[in-house]
Amino acid sequence: MDLEFSKLELIEMLLQTSKESVLSRVRAILEEEQDFVINNAFYTTLDERREEYERGEGQSFTWQEVKQNVRDAKNGI
């Protein structure tokens, strides 16, 4: 099946649906598929934090601390 035809067919199906749950699921799937884009603000923040770290002002963690922080966050601690 042609990709463009499939897209048009899906668009038509979306236009015809009146179920909010279907639209929510489609939106969630499409948002998951979007490529992660790193913008200039991200690089600026990264550079600032690296400079702070190099001056001894930034905070750093060991790999064990990082894993524990993730576990704690996952468990709501």
Side-chain angles (χ1 to χ4, degrees):
M1 184 178 281
D2 181 31
L3 180 62
E4 295 304 315
F5 179 77
S6 293
K7 289 178 181 180
L8 291 172
E9 197 173 45
L10 284 171
I11 290 169
E12 187 175 311
M13 292 169 71
L14 286 170
L15 289 172
Q16 292 176 2
T17 189
S18 59
K19 294 183 179 181
E20 184 73 29
S21 62
V22 171
L23 297 174
S24 294
R25 291 192 329 235
V26 169
R27 177 183 294 278
I29 291 168
L30 293 175
E31 286 175 351
E32 284 178 15
E33 293 296 316
Q34 289 181 352
D35 291 336
F36 180 73
V37 177
I38 298 176
N39 59 26
N40 288 336
F42 174 83
Y43 286 112
T44 301
T45 301
L46 187 62
D47 288 339
E48 289 170 358
R49 290 182 182 175
R50 180 179 36 81
E51 289 169 5
E52 286 176 2
Y53 175 77
E54 289 172 351
R55 290 190 307 264
E57 300 170 357
Q59 189 174 14
S60 63
F61 300 95
T62 66
W63 179 237
Q64 285 303 114
E65 290 171 323
V66 170
K67 289 192 293 187
Q68 189 60 50
N69 289 342
V70 170
R71 288 184 187 116
D72 291 348
K74 184 178 176 184
N75 295 326
I77 296 175

